[in-house]
Structures are given as C-alpha cells and as structure tokens.
Amino acid sequence: MNRVLDIAPLRSFVAVADCGGFQRAATALYLSQAAVSQHVRRLEAAIGRPLVERQGRGSRFTTDGETLLRQARRLLAVHDETLRTFGVEPEQALVIGSTEHAAAQLLPELSSALAGTFPDWRVRFRIDRGAQLRATLADGRIDLALLLGPAEDPAAQTVGELELTWYSAPEWQLPDGGRPIPVVAFDAPCALRTRALDTLAAHGLPAEVGCEAAHLAGVQAAVQAGLGVGLMATLGQAPPGLVPRDDLPPPQPLALSVWARRGLRTELTLGAAGALRSLLPTPTPALRAA
C-alpha cells in the first residue's frame, strides 16, 4: 500500500478545518465535494486510521484527525518555504473569514466573483463567530473578515446589507396571554441576537431568549424543534424544516462589512469589497450612519 502523504490531499484536509466543512472547502479550493472527500480518504488510507466521523448532520475530526491537522499545517509550511528557497513562489493565498450567516448564502457566488477578481490568487475561507474572526484578523491569521454590522474601523468598508427574516417550525404558535415570545439566538455578543430582541421590544412585545446556540446549525435545529422563533439572514432561502413568519414585526436589515488585516494591500481589500457589492443590496443611509 502507498503510505505517502501527498500535498494536494493535505491542502484539502486543512481547508475542511479552516472552512468548516467539505462543501465549503470544495468551494474555496475550486474542487468538487467528491474530490475533497476522496483526498481525505487517501489520507486515511495512508495512515490507516479514520480522520473524520459523522456528527449529526455534519462531521468532526477524530483525535487522529486533529493530530494530522497540526502536522499537515507544518508540512505545508515547510513545503511552501522549500519552493521559495529555490526561487519558486507558491500559489498566493487570500484567506477570508466569514460569519456563518454570510457564508451560508454568499460563499458560492462570492467564490466565483473572487476568482474573476483575483485570477492569480487561491482564495480560502474560514468560518467562525464574529468575535473569533476579529481576533484572528488582528493576529494576521486571516486577511479579510466579513462581519455583520457597519464598518467601525478605517480599514473596514460597509459593502451591503442582509435582509433578515423570522423563522419558526411549521406548527409553532405565538404564545398568548401576554407571555414572552421565546427567541432562539446565538450566544452573546451577536448582532442578530441584539436585532431580534430590539425589534420585538420596539413594538412592545415581551420576549426572552429560550435557547442559545454557538453555531447556525444549533440555532436552526432548536427552531425546528419548536423551541422558539429565530431571526436569520437567508437571502430568501428558507432553511429546511422552517417557515418564515409574517406575524412578527419586520426587522431592519443588517449591514455587512469587510474588514482588512493591518498591512494588507489596498487593491485586495477594494477587490473583495467590489465583489461583495455586486452580490448585495446597497446599504441604506441609516445603515451607513449606524
């Protein structure tokens, strides 16, 4: 049996970790999901151990997978540095961090748009919470971050807005008798959580956070289980098993901004911002001033 750890499968494996799944890794690498899955199977065959296992609707790394991930990052770094030693520049990579709501709706279209904007760059994505993205941007582990909310930094640009929609399980009913509306929300701090509670409060509707989750899949699962309503940015595409609600106050859209790490070339920031503006509605004056 061939016990070789090839570079291409290692890049796919790392992309699965950085992008938050096989489909998103495939989008970032301009490969099919089947190709990324085949790369992971080749690595599993080489070391003789499972690296990824199913977890609910998704997957997670095994203990051996986490170990290989650390080694894979080292191997890729040495590989690329070796090429530079001989005057060969590895393919340039632009790492873009995105919140889950932005990623779920924008990554396929954004990946295609960026391929035309940066033909000489390999674009990679990292999916995470906004607070974590700000931290990884600050220490240079990602180049750009797509964050909910208006630009609050000279290096950031507001590029559009995400329409927000209330969703619930099909059979879910609003509580009667003046009881608080149960809201399913992301862990604080979260712009969507704040917008949901503020919207209901502005219309005099009592509300309480009945369930919290760290990730989008958890929020959607809790809403589907009938634990409450959730406010989501879906660009009109209802998540499976959920229905939009028109009996709750319509929320204002949330701005989407691009943040750049310190020292990133200006043309890269402008190019990414332009690609996003082509996909999103123009932000309203209120959002620009927010």
Side-chain angles (χ1 to χ4, degrees):
M1 180 180 291
N2 185 8
R3 300 281 186 173
V4 175
L5 297 175
D6 292 321
I7 293 299
L10 289 173
R11 289 202 191 279
S12 290
F13 189 65
V14 171
V16 170
D18 289 344
C19 297
F22 283 77
Q23 183 56 60
R24 290 170 177 168
T27 298
L29 295 173
Y30 305 106
L31 298 173
S32 67
Q33 185 173 348
V36 174
S37 297
Q38 180 61 30
H39 282 170
V40 174
R41 288 196 291 271
R42 284 171 58 184
L43 295 176
E44 290 178 327
I47 68 172
R49 299 181 185 183
L51 302 173
V52 179
E53 61 186 11
R54 298 292 300 178
Q55 185 180 47
R57 297 182 180 179
S59 58
R60 70 179 184 88
F61 289 129
T62 63
T63 300
D64 291 317
E66 295 285 356
T67 300
L68 180 61
L69 179 61
R70 292 192 294 272
Q71 297 297 331
R73 294 189 190 280
R74 295 175 59 193
L75 287 168
L76 292 174
V78 171
H79 171 273
D80 293 349
E81 184 58 35
T82 301
L83 288 179
R84 293 189 185 96
T85 299
F86 291 96
V88 178
E89 187 63 31
E91 187 178 31
Q92 300 179 99
L94 183 69
V95 184
I96 300 177
S98 174
T99 59
E100 287 184 295
H101 270 85
Q105 304 304 324
L106 293 176
L107 281 199
E109 293 83 359
L110 179 59
S111 182
S112 298
L114 290 175
T117 304
F118 305 123
D120 299 326
W121 289 72
R122 180 167 57 88
V123 180
R124 294 171 50 206
F125 293 95
R126 178 179 180 84
I127 314 303
D128 214 331
R129 295 291 306 278
Q132 284 73 29
L133 290 176
R134 292 175 189 270
T136 53
L137 188 71
D139 62 23
R141 283 182 286 165
I142 60 176
D143 300 304
L144 294 165
L146 312 185
L147 298 173
L148 296 179
E152 300 169 348
D153 185 272
Q157 298 185 45
T158 300
V159 294
E161 60 186 32
L162 296 177
E163 297 290 337
L164 305 181
T165 304
W166 294 105
Y167 287 99
S168 76
E171 69 283 357
W172 186 87
Q173 298 293 325
L174 281 168
D176 54 16
R179 290 180 296 162
I181 298 172
V183 175
V184 178
F186 285 93
D187 295 335
C190 172
L192 274 170
R193 175 191 181 116
T194 301
R195 180 58 52 85
L197 296 175
D198 286 352
T199 298
L200 295 175
H203 288 77
L205 296 173
E208 63 181 7
V209 176
C211 179
E212 297 175 293
H215 300 287
L216 179 60
V219 170
Q220 292 180 349
V223 173
Q224 188 174 9
L227 300 183
V229 292
L231 188 62
M232 305 177 201
T234 61
L235 274 70
Q237 303 175 32
L242 303 183
V243 295
R245 306 289 305 203
D246 58 7
D247 53 355
L248 289 170
Q252 290 295 313
L254 269 178
L256 181 70
S257 299
V258 176
W259 294 62
R261 66 167 170 79
R262 185 182 301 275
L264 186 69
R265 287 157 48 182
T266 302
E267 62 266 27
L268 296 179
T269 305
L270 294 177
L276 277 163
R277 288 193 178 101
S278 69
L279 304 176
L280 292 169
T282 302
T284 63
L287 283 176
R288 294 190 190 101

